[in-house]
């Protein structure tokens, strides 16, 4: 498709932090929407590798490898680099520059009160020794998104607070520097002369998939995830070990609501009638053991993951890493054209247009 044909499609920006491989939570929270919208939107998928340094500055080799693994996950899921643009954050300098501008537009206390940051500090045990860069990532994320002036940001529920902050940054920028009337409707900011549209979050089919621990959000940092790259044996072991929230015999009535395995049944068993029947029998204590429910979920998860495993296998070699790096290079070069244009527009609006610079990135 020509560049001209691509530019009139509305844009999507979203991404993942290379702090580990992708899991089922990413799939239902965001990846599914990315796949579905690849043709309708001009999609940019960001590898937030700078943000991985906010909590793992001492692990550069891990971050590099995780960056490559996440692209393999994306390709395995069906993200097509010929249709969607894969972007490496650390090689898009406009993002770093825009981060500074947005840092000036967001009150310090507003950033620190962000509930997602607070939850992450607790969940990741960061205490009070987290880096200065850690809360900065929330501001940086405004720049990640707005550098691409997108309409839509497909994310899980935990990111909605971040997107709200990004929307505020966009409004404030447009009001301060582009004379956009504060009474303007969010969807009209760009039309009213703003550099930035006010983008919307698009939350996936399941905005917060619980981890195999049955309580926390499934997360690559919490050791409670089923990875898209897990083998059938690993899937069986992880789901097999899940606590069903209660202790019961197959012929005793059970509580579906407190059993996290049923959450997975709803998320991954395609046949709704089968899910309803499992729930019904479980509630009645109709000779339905927890092992039976788990076996049905394991089959469904494997059915979803099998084609991904096949596509991933083709990338599990040295040439695979090279191919991934090529995809990152090509995507990032294209992404820089958009991000540089945005930066130029932003600087012009701010009276910072003292000259033009060009960025050659190969
Ligand atoms: P980390 O623990 O390092 O923050 P993470 O597992 O939360 O990792 P992110 O890279 O922060 O993953 O999130 C990538 C995207 O996936 C975000 O849009 C996020 O909302 C979504 N997501 C992550 N975990 C889940 C989940 N359990 N359910 C639904 N969506 C999720
Ligand atoms: Mg996260």
């Amino acid at each position: 498709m020509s560049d001209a044909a691509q530019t009139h499609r509305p844009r999507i920006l979203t991404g993942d932090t290379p702090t580990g491989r992708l899991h089922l939570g990413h799939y239902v929270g965001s990846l599914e929407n990315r796949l579905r919208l690849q043709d309708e939107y001009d999609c940019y998928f960001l590898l937030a590798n700078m943000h991985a340094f906010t909590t793992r500055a001492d692990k550069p080799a891990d971050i590099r490898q995780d960056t490559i693994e996440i692209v393999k996950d994306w390709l395995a899921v069906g993200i097509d680099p010929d249709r969607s643009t894969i972007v490496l954050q650390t090689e898009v300098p406009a993002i770093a520059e825009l981060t500074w501008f947005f840092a000036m537009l967001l009150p310090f206390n507003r950033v620190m009160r962000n509930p997602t940051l607070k939850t992450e500090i607790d969940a990741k045990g960061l205490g009070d020794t987290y880096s200065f860069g850690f809360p900065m990532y929330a501001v940086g994320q405004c720049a990640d998104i707005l550098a691409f002036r997108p309409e839509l940001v497909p994310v899980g529920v935990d990111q909605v607070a971040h997107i709200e902050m990004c929307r505020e940054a966009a409004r404030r920028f447009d009001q301060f520097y582009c004379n956009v009337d504060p009474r303007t409707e969010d969807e009209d900011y760009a039309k009213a002369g703003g550099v930035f549209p006010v983008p919307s979050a698009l939350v996936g089919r399941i905005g917060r998939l619980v981890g195999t621990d049955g309580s926390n959000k499934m997360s690559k940092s919490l050791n409670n995830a089923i990875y898209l790259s897990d083998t059938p044996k690993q899937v069986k072991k992880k789901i097999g070990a899940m606590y069903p929230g209660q202790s019961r015999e197959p012929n005793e009535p059970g509580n579906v609501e407190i059993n996290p395995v049923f959450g997975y049944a709803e998320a991954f068993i395609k046949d709704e009638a089968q899910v309803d029947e499992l729930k019904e029998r479980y509630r009645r204590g109709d000779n339905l053991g927890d092992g039976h429910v788990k076996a049905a979920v394991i089959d469904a998860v494997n059915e979803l993951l099998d084609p991904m495993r096949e596509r991933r296998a083709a990338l599990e070699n040295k040439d695979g890493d090279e191919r991934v790096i090529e995809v990152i290079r090509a995507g990032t070069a294209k992404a820089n054209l958009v991000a540089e244009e945005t930066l130029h527009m932003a600087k012009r609006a701010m009276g910072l247009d003292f000259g033009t610079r060009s960025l050659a990135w190969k």
Side-chain angles (χ1 to χ4, degrees):
M1 193 179 295
S2 75
D3 281 352
Q6 287 197 356
T7 43
H8 72 250
R9 280 182 300 163
R11 287 197 197 114
I12 273 180
L13 178 289
T14 187
D16 302 298
T17 326
T19 42
R21 294 183 175 202
L22 297 187
H23 52 63
L24 292 174
H26 296 118
Y27 185 76
V28 292
S30 171
L31 288 169
E32 236 176 8
N33 273 335
R34 300 184 205 177
L35 288 173
R36 187 168 62 81
L37 298 171
Q38 266 189 119
D39 287 320
E40 226 177 294
Y41 283 78
D42 184 15
C43 291
Y44 292 80
F45 300 133
L46 184 86
L47 296 155
N49 61 333
M50 179 78 91
H51 295 183
F53 280 86
T54 64
T55 54
R56 300 203 303 170
D58 56 336
K59 304 242 167 20
D62 289 2
I63 296 173
R64 185 181 174 91
Q65 195 54 42
D66 284 341
T67 303
I68 290 170
E69 296 303 329
I70 283 192
V71 178
K72 287 185 186 173
D73 283 332
W74 286 353
L75 301 180
V77 160
I79 286 180
D80 174 3
D82 290 332
R83 284 183 287 161
S84 298
T85 306
I86 289 177
V87 189
L88 185 69
Q89 189 180 43
T90 47
E91 289 302 339
V92 182
I95 291 177
E97 291 183 54
L98 289 167
T99 300
W100 269 99
F101 298 153
F102 294 126
M104 258 55 96
L105 299 180
L106 295 164
F108 178 77
N109 288 331
R110 166 79 181 84
V111 176
M112 298 312 289
R113 272 200 307 268
N114 181 310
T116 302
L117 278 188
K118 287 193 166 169
T119 312
E120 270 188 84
I121 289 168
D122 284 346
K124 295 177 184 172
L126 301 178
D128 59 1
T129 57
Y130 53 80
S131 65
F132 191 87
F134 178 71
M136 264 299 276
Y137 102 74
V139 181
Q141 195 169 308
C142 301
D144 296 336
I145 296 171
L146 294 175
F148 295 90
R149 288 171 281 134
E151 267 77 357
L152 216 53
V153 191
V155 285
V157 151
D158 65 312
Q159 290 295 318
V160 170
H162 284 327
I163 308 302
E164 198 44 55
M165 217 164 72
C166 168
R167 289 158 59 80
E168 277 175 36
R171 286 188 204 106
R172 201 157 295 159
F173 186 100
D174 290 344
Q175 291 167 15
F176 280 11
Y177 306 123
C178 313
N179 293 320
V180 173
D181 186 327
R183 287 164 302 185
T184 305
E185 297 291 332
D186 282 344
E187 58 275 22
D188 295 332
Y189 265 70
K191 235 188 293 161
V195 167
F196 297 107
V198 180
S200 305
L202 176 71
V203 174
R205 182 163 63 90
I206 294 168
R208 180 189 183 273
L209 188 73
V210 149
T212 51
D213 56 9
S215 53
N216 289 299
K217 172 184 94 107
M218 185 177 282
S219 167
K220 38 187 152 62
S221 310
L222 295 179
N223 200 19
N224 66 358
I226 296 172
Y227 294 99
L228 303 181
S229 49
D230 274 351
T231 62
K233 215 168 145 187
Q234 286 168 317
V235 170
K236 190 169 172 201
K237 197 167 162 204
K238 288 180 182 180
I239 294 176
M242 279 174 75
Y243 177 58
Q246 59 215 291
S247 141
R248 62 178 276 280
E249 295 299 325
N251 56 0
E252 285 172 1
N255 186 345
V256 164
E257 316 312 322
I258 60 167
N259 184 343
V261 183
F262 275 100
Y264 290 3
E266 281 169 8
F268 301 109
I269 296 177
K270 285 196 198 124
D271 180 356
E272 278 177 37
Q274 189 193 352
V275 180
D276 289 345
E277 195 202 329
L278 285 172
K279 283 186 182 169
E280 195 42 45
R281 286 184 57 199
Y282 198 83
R283 284 195 185 107
R284 279 205 317 266
D286 180 14
N287 199 26
L288 184 69
D290 284 291
H292 187 115
V293 184
K294 287 178 178 177
V297 170
I298 291 166
D299 283 349
V301 168
N302 281 326
E303 197 185 314
L304 172 73
L305 298 187
D306 273 340
M308 300 181 199
R309 290 180 181 126
E310 235 171 80
R311 282 192 289 263
R312 199 175 217 287
L315 296 164
E316 297 287 21
N317 50 49
K318 197 84 198 111
D319 292 349
D321 283 14
E322 296 291 312
R323 168 152 152 56
V324 162
I325 290 169
E326 272 311 308
V327 163
I328 293 175
R329 284 211 184 107
T332 305
K334 184 176 161 222
N336 267 317
L337 299 178
V338 179
E340 282 293 300
E341 181 185 52
T342 305
L343 182 67
H344 183 69
M345 290 161 72
K347 283 184 167 172
R348 195 172 49 206
M350 296 171 79
L352 294 171
D353 50 340
F354 289 99
T356 45
R357 82 168 181 213
S358 69
L359 179 73
W361 203 83
K362 285 190 222 121

